[in-house]
Amino acid sequence: MIQITMPLNFLGTVYREIRQALIDMGDMFDLLGQPAEVKDKPDAKPLKVDGGRVTLKNVSFGYEAARPILKGIDLDVAPGQTVAIVGSSGSGKSTIGRLLFRFYDVGEGALLIDGQDVRDVTQDSLHAEIGVVPQDTVLFNDTVRYNIAYGRPGASEEEIISAAKAAKIHDFISALPEGYDTTVGERGLKLSGGEKQRVGIARTLLKNPPILLLDEATSALDTDTEMEIQAELKAMGEGRTVITIAHRLSTIADADRIVVLENGHIVEEGKHEELLEANGRYAHLWNRQQSEEEPA
Ligand code: ATP
């Protein structure tokens, strides 16, 4: 009996581990939707990033042919620029992130990084150059060290600690009885939303990608933590191309450019003050959120 149950238990554990890992991966890339069935071309080359310019040229896309989500989007994000994408729920903000990651192929037009069509490069090289900080960082049931090092397997202890320090989570980790060996995640120490975010930021800092995709990462945090995390995200964005998918406008008011999506089109583009001045769609969204956020 033992002989039978042992392997079964073992297989059960392995199965659960694999399943959990897949769920974790799925959650981590929630922003990016389900992994697509896109395949590398036989002659796909590694992406060569030189600055990290992201260009959408007349991009149209729909998950289903009958329902277009993006219709002829033109967007150029210069190297080192921070562009925020805003728009009402379902307007296609996250879809742009999924296309950037090439989880789906554009229906029409092209998406280029430093002039290279994402369809012509290997997906591994594409994913290596883009860092994602999702809304809710999902932790693996493993040590804090593993969870940070996941950003770059093989990173040295010094590199991990330096990333944790930059993400302002090192002191917290050091104070844990088992330090960096503490198991976190569902079956370990549960971290707060802010702590999880910081682990996610440390992970991304370690990966050190030239292009960052932020799915406005602070929705579940209290105001103080949110402000701190915002500052850390901003610091992380220095010298990188950043595309922020924003739900709350207060967090992106200082973006180099704000792009407003509506019904599959870019309906407005500019800096925060310019858009308020224009008194159009953005100003409407802004005023609505301001009144919602006012204390009763
Ligand atoms: P939110 O602010 O609510 O996160 P969003 O602007 O990021 O919204 P997207 O997630 O890009 O919106 O979704 C745009 C539209 O595409 C929505 O109507 C959504 O229902 C649809 N959609 C998203 N993912 C899929 C999918 N995998 N299959 C079919 N439709 C999808």
Side-chain angles (χ1 to χ4, degrees):
M1 192 60 193
I2 287 168
Q3 270 168 331
I4 295 169
T5 53
M6 286 273 286
L8 281 182
N9 277 344
F10 175 68
L11 279 179
T13 307
V14 169
Y15 168 75
R16 275 193 300 277
E17 293 285 343
I18 293 173
R19 195 167 152 268
Q20 186 59 42
L22 289 174
I23 291 168
D24 288 346
M25 287 292 289
D27 284 354
M28 189 149 79
F29 291 110
D30 193 31
L31 145 81
L32 306 160
Q34 302 120 22
E37 285 121 39
V38 291
K39 296 223 160 39
D40 283 357
K41 282 185 180 171
D43 59 347
K45 308 238 167 3
L47 173 68
K48 287 207 184 76
V49 174
D50 178 18
R53 177 179 289 273
V54 176
T55 315
L56 278 76
K57 272 193 181 161
N58 196 25
V59 165
S60 295
F61 174 78
Y63 295 93
E64 297 134 30
R67 195 167 155 247
I69 304 290
L70 302 174
K71 304 168 193 165
I73 299 287
D74 282 310
L75 179 66
D76 185 45
V77 188
Q81 235 192 7
T82 293
V83 166
I85 302 174
V86 308
S88 49
S89 180
S91 58
K93 303 181 291 291
S94 305
T95 301
I96 292 183
R98 294 177 194 127
L99 295 179
L100 178 64
F101 238 68
R102 203 185 165 218
F103 273 30
Y104 300 90
D105 272 334
V106 298
E108 274 173 52
L111 200 158
L112 312 173
I113 296 178
D114 286 331
Q116 301 146 84
D117 193 313
V118 294
R119 288 169 294 196
D120 295 337
V121 302
T122 62
Q123 292 177 74
D124 282 353
S125 68
L126 177 68
H127 298 168
E129 303 290 358
I130 306 171
V132 184
V133 181
Q135 275 186 39
D136 189 14
T137 297
V138 175
L139 301 176
F140 300 100
N141 288 304
D142 209 307
T143 61
V144 193
R145 178 185 292 101
Y146 176 89
N147 272 282
I148 296 176
Y150 181 78
R152 183 153 51 87
S156 71
E157 186 75 5
E158 276 103 15
E159 290 169 325
I160 293 170
I161 290 174
S162 141
K165 280 185 176 160
K168 305 250 164 51
I169 186 79
H170 171 74
D171 291 347
F172 167 82
I173 299 169
S174 304
L176 296 170
E178 291 179 86
Y180 280 81
D181 292 319
T182 308
T183 300
V184 292
E186 281 308 303
R187 278 176 268 140
L189 181 71
K190 306 261 192 306
L191 301 186
S192 75
E195 289 151 5
K196 280 204 285 186
Q197 276 297 333
R198 290 202 162 94
V199 171
I201 290 173
R203 190 187 273 169
T204 307
L205 283 169
L206 198 57
K207 182 173 173 178
N208 195 21
I211 299 166
L212 272 183
L213 187 58
L214 307 181
D215 188 9
E216 193 202 48
T218 55
S219 41
L221 308 176
D222 63 67
T223 316
D224 285 348
T225 313
E226 171 171 342
M227 281 168 71
E228 287 165 25
I229 297 275
Q230 275 305 323
E232 277 131 40
L233 288 174
K234 206 170 164 217
M236 179 159 71
E238 294 293 324
R240 302 175 208 265
T241 304
V242 183
I243 297 178
T244 302
I245 293 157
H247 305 269
R248 289 183 52 199
L249 306 184
S250 53
T251 57
I252 50 92
D254 60 353
D256 295 317
R257 190 149 46 107
I258 297 166
V259 166
V260 186
L261 268 189
E262 216 56 75
N263 296 323
H265 298 282
I266 293 178
V267 292
E268 269 187 324
E269 224 174 310
K271 282 186 182 289
H272 173 75
E273 292 76 21
E274 294 165 359
L275 293 174
L276 284 187
E277 189 99 342
N279 204 20
R281 185 72 193 138
Y282 179 82
H284 174 78
L285 290 171
W286 175 262
N287 291 332
R288 200 176 62 191
Q289 285 202 359
Q290 290 300 102
S291 60
E292 278 168 9
E293 282 174 22
E294 260 168 34

